[in-house]
Amino acid sequence: ITMLAFLAACATIFDGGTQRIEVQAVNVISNKPVKDAICSITDEMGVVYMVPENPGSIKVKKGQGVLHFDCKRPGFVQKNTEIPESFNNTAFLNIFTGGAGFFVDAVSGAMMEYPTKVVIRMEEESNY
């Protein structure tokens, strides 16, 4: 029965418990990457991920709640800051095994997913 539960964990098997997210901080006016912007991402468990460049990508653990983005560059302010997770439709395949894999998918985080690409909008500061 335990083996069936692991085999039935469709989202864990097909999608895994981690996910790569492309991150790009862009100027809201030109829609071009903000040169030298540095972004960090914090999940609800307090884990911080650093994006190595702009644009760049990171690998995050799924199922950790809302991701909070903090992009910085002198002369710019960030406009949007949070990206929620959503239900991974692959987990619905567990219904064909009587739901045996839902627990495994929930524990691994594979039941949830984030967008594969996130665009952080940044605006130049006004010096009034």
Side-chain angles (χ1 to χ4, degrees):
I1 292 174
T2 303
M3 187 61 154
L4 176 62
F6 284 107
L7 291 175
C10 295
T12 302
I13 292 169
F14 294 117
D15 299 330
T18 60
Q19 176 182 341
R20 184 154 297 282
I21 300 174
E22 293 178 39
V23 179
Q24 185 175 39
V26 300
N27 184 316
V28 294
I29 306 245
S30 68
N31 208 34
K32 293 186 178 180
V34 175
K35 185 176 165 105
D36 299 326
I38 299 171
C39 297
S40 65
I41 300 159
T42 307
D43 65 26
E44 289 185 353
M45 301 302 172
V47 176
V48 178
Y49 304 91
M50 296 300 296
V51 182
E53 56 193 8
N54 185 37
S57 67
I58 55 159
K59 188 176 182 180
V60 297
K61 185 171 182 344
K62 293 181 181 180
Q64 302 302 303
V66 173
L67 296 179
H68 303 274
F69 288 74
D70 185 25
C71 296
K72 297 187 182 308
R73 172 151 189 284
F76 282 83
V77 292
Q78 180 176 318
K79 302 303 283 179
N80 56 330
T81 59
E82 297 179 344
I83 303 298
E85 59 186 348
S86 61
F87 189 79
N88 182 350
N89 290 331
T90 305
F92 278 122
L93 294 174
N94 287 314
I95 205 157
F96 295 112
T97 62
F102 274 115
F103 177 75
V104 175
D105 286 346
V107 170
S108 74
M111 185 179 283
M112 305 305 286
E113 65 184 352
Y114 296 103
T116 57
K117 183 172 184 177
V118 174
V119 176
I120 301 298
R121 300 171 342 117
M122 299 184 78
E123 184 174 62
E124 288 189 66
E125 288 182 311
S126 307
N127 293 327
Y128 292 102

